[in-house]
Amino acid sequence: MSNPGLPLLPPGDGQAGAHNAPVGLQAAEVHAAGRAHFLRGELLTARDLFTQAVQCGCVPAAVDLARTLRFTGEAGAARALLTPLLAQEYSAENRALLSLELGALDLAEGQLRRAHDHFTAAGVLLSPQAVSRPERCRAARLLASTYAQLGLSTPAQHYLSSALTHAQGPERLLALHAQARIALDAAQFDLAAQALEQARPHLDGAPVAAGGHHLLLGQLACARGRWETAMAAFEETRRLAQRSGELGTECQAALGRAALLTAQQAWGAAHAELLRAQRLSPTPYLRALVDLRLGAWHAARGDTQALEYLNLARAAFVALHLTRETAWCDLHRSAALLPDLTSAQRALEDALQARHAHGSPVLLAELRLLPHLLPLLQSRRPSLAAQALQADWRAAFPDEPFLIELRTLGQTAVLVDGQEIRLGMRRTVELLAFLLLRGPATRSQLLSALWGDDDPRRAANYFHQAKRELSRHLPWLRILLDKGSGEYRVSCEGALFQWDLQFTQRELSADSEDEVAETIRSLPGLFLPDVDTQWVREERDALEWTVMKSGLSLMKRWSERGEYQKCADLAARLLDIDPCDEALVEYLVTATLELEGRVAAQRALSGAAQRAQQELGLRPDWEQRLMGTLAPLPN
């Protein structure tokens, strides 16, 4: 998007063309009105007013207009407006303002070295006699952010300390945001939380910064594994950014939600967020972040195009000298290259080198999003890179696991970082599964479903014992009570959570035929095989129906295309689940007839009928009918 018709400003000191004082007065008033709207978060109205003031020759209005254009995703128009002005003769204050905003544009685009040069130039001009304290604080804050992203912690802390010491009002809020951002990269999560808490009282006077504040809250919650908190913060970021028109902030909110949804294997919802972010990304830097998240999404699904997106993002970040983002790309490349352990290890080593080049444990938040990297990190002989990442994790989260797995297909177990937790109560896993499938639920609904045949007092005691057992062995996986509704639900925070049934259900609805077929072939067994309550029997039947429906749909398409070997293989697997299904037997027989001939098809039919007899106690009705279709035609 562009903003045509903005003239070059005439040279002079400041508020307007020196040749026309009344016009200058008008420009100052319009500029002040634009600032009032900007501070209220009304960016589009502010943009129009700043444009009017610029057309009257107001240099500070040009800087504010450029800042507004940057927020609304019009960075190209902002740069086109400001760059020619640097060659004009203005006061030191105005030249400093121009350099600061040009540097801010570079910083937003990931051009850290150019940003550093602009901020340094502004700092030379920003002597106490030349400019007000807020501008000096802004220069210090922006330099701190630039040095931090370059991985230079000493100058970053120096300038951050200066900004925090002197900043007041809205600039104080932004300095605290910079502190939180720097602390996040350094895995100093308590310090980041403290900075955001100190910033909160300043939000009332700076609604234009509210979206960025909630974005930081979401990123902090994500890094700590507080998934529900992070999702809510990103949604609030989106709401605030849409209201003010901040494209870049809204884009980052969509990327944050996409990352979480990808980690939770919610493929459709994650892809919708990525499409939104793709449309919103106003800078090359954000477009590279979109490619990174697209690559992570494809990698989590096992798609081959994952590396294409990740390599594209990595090349963009390397060109910008962004070691932090390069490290993120290499970490996701490692996950995408599995199960090729040699290539995955090599990419993990690249990630560690970029992490060391940056100088901060910048991989931890990304590691939260990659549970399928766990086998690589926790192998019996972990690489030096894996050991270094484990050390970063233990230093930041000494008491937290990485991954909790709930297994309910073919077995009943809870695993923490690959190690099974021995639970004393058989019903504890069933309780979790019930709430995940049918919750939230009241206590009476829980007791009736799980302990309906027991004495009510004893059932209530069992329920509370199961809750206590979870609290004792799995404090990150909690059963929470909503006091308003009186309903219980499951919450997992501080670790990634995976459930085999949920994964299977999602894979059965995948777009890829091969993914659906592989999911069916690899089903490990019955849902909660050791449990015989009514609700479990209903869920088993529902899963079986879904599996059979998906399988029959696949075989219908394959049969129409003449892909009989696929039909035969899948029909044989599905008959393990339901040996009496006539449609399955018919697909098996037809495929065998096409592949191996009449005798083999007759033999397959007889075998299927014998298995059905073992299940039913008598020969199935369909045996004779299907055998008749295999009889040789009369001469």
Side-chain angles (χ1 to χ4, degrees), residues 289-443:
L289 279 183
V290 171
D291 286 336
L292 168 60
R293 294 298 169 211
L294 277 167
W297 183 80
H298 283 291
R301 289 165 51 90
D303 298 339
T304 55
Q305 57 265 58
L307 286 173
E308 178 184 342
Y309 284 106
L310 292 172
N311 289 336
L312 192 64
R314 189 182 192 277
F317 293 136
V318 168
L320 291 168
H321 308 285
L322 298 175
T323 52
R324 177 185 65 177
E325 288 81 354
T326 301
W328 294 348
C329 287
D330 287 331
L331 193 66
H332 285 281
R333 285 176 59 246
S334 179
L337 287 163
L338 288 171
D340 181 349
L341 290 178
T342 301
S343 298
Q345 288 281 16
R346 192 177 300 119
L348 196 66
E349 290 165 7
D350 291 341
L352 188 66
Q353 288 178 12
R355 173 254 184 268
H356 287 326
H358 190 273
S360 295
V362 292
L363 292 171
L364 290 182
E366 290 300 307
L367 203 55
R368 285 270 190 200
L369 305 171
L370 292 167
H372 43 295
L373 263 186
L374 190 66
L376 193 63
L377 297 180
Q378 295 189 326
S379 61
R380 291 186 178 180
R381 294 183 179 179
S383 65
L384 292 176
Q387 291 177 38
L389 288 176
Q390 288 180 29
D392 277 352
W393 185 275
R394 285 192 295 269
F397 311 109
D399 301 317
E400 291 186 10
F402 181 54
L403 175 66
I404 296 175
E405 298 174 85
L406 179 63
R407 295 186 180 174
T408 56
L409 296 178
Q411 62 176 310
T412 302
V414 180
L415 287 76
V416 175
D417 288 345
Q419 301 297 314
E420 184 174 351
I421 301 298
R422 298 295 179 183
L423 298 173
M425 291 190 64
R426 180 172 56 87
R427 289 291 180 81
T428 300
V429 172
E430 185 187 357
L431 174 62
L432 287 170
F434 180 85
L435 284 173
L436 288 166
L437 272 173
R438 300 197 174 187
T442 64
R443 191 176 78 152

Side-chain angles (χ1 to χ4, degrees), residues 227-244:
W227 309 119
E228 294 181 21
T229 303
M231 289 292 279
F234 289 139
E235 184 55 40
E236 181 65 5
T237 302
R238 185 210 307 271
R239 186 187 70 81
L240 291 167
Q242 286 179 339
R243 187 172 69 182
S244 63

Side-chain angles (χ1 to χ4, degrees), residues 122-142:
V124 172
L125 297 166
L126 289 172
S127 66
Q129 295 77 23
V131 73
S132 60
R133 175 177 289 173
E135 302 307 331
R136 294 202 306 277
C137 292
R138 184 176 181 227
R141 167 176 60 82
L142 290 169

Side-chain angles (χ1 to χ4, degrees), residues 74-264:
E74 301 167 273
R79 192 176 297 281
L81 171 67
L82 292 185
T83 302
L85 301 185
L86 282 178
Q88 309 247 358
E89 293 297 327
Y90 294 118
S91 66
E93 178 175 346
N94 282 337
R95 283 187 287 125
L97 294 175
L98 290 169
S99 291
L100 279 175
E101 185 51 39
L102 280 166
L105 280 167
D106 290 328
L107 189 60
E109 294 178 353
Q111 298 283 356
L112 300 185
R113 298 187 179 184
R114 286 197 332 215
H116 171 268
D117 291 343
H118 281 302
F119 297 147
T120 302
V124 172
L125 297 166
L126 289 172
S127 66
Q129 295 77 23
V131 73
S132 60
R133 175 177 289 173
E135 302 307 331
R136 294 202 306 277
C137 292
R138 184 176 181 227
R141 167 176 60 82
L142 290 169
L143 274 168
S145 297
T146 304
Y147 279 120
Q149 289 192 49
L150 287 168
L152 301 172
S153 58
T154 300
Q157 288 299 329
H158 168 76
Y159 285 105
L160 179 63
S161 176
S162 175
L164 289 169
T165 300
H166 300 291
Q168 300 293 329
E171 188 54 47
R172 173 75 178 171
L173 169 67
L174 296 175
L176 288 166
H177 283 175
Q179 183 182 33
R181 207 172 287 114
I182 293 169
L184 268 172
D185 272 355
Q188 297 172 331
F189 302 123
D190 290 341
L191 176 59
Q194 179 184 349
L196 290 172
E197 181 60 26
Q198 291 175 3
R200 189 165 55 86
H202 299 281
L203 287 173
D204 290 340
V208 74
H213 182 84
H214 284 87
L215 181 65
L216 285 166
L217 286 172
Q219 291 168 345
L220 173 61
C222 185
R224 284 178 150 175
R226 310 294 192 260
W227 309 119
E228 294 181 21
T229 303
M231 289 292 279
F234 289 139
E235 184 55 40
E236 181 65 5
T237 302
R238 185 210 307 271
R239 186 187 70 81
L240 291 167
Q242 286 179 339
R243 187 172 69 182
S244 63
E246 296 175 77
L247 262 66
T249 303
E250 186 183 351
C251 176
Q252 292 197 63
L255 288 173
R257 288 175 61 83
L260 289 176
L261 290 165
T262 298
Q264 295 165 358

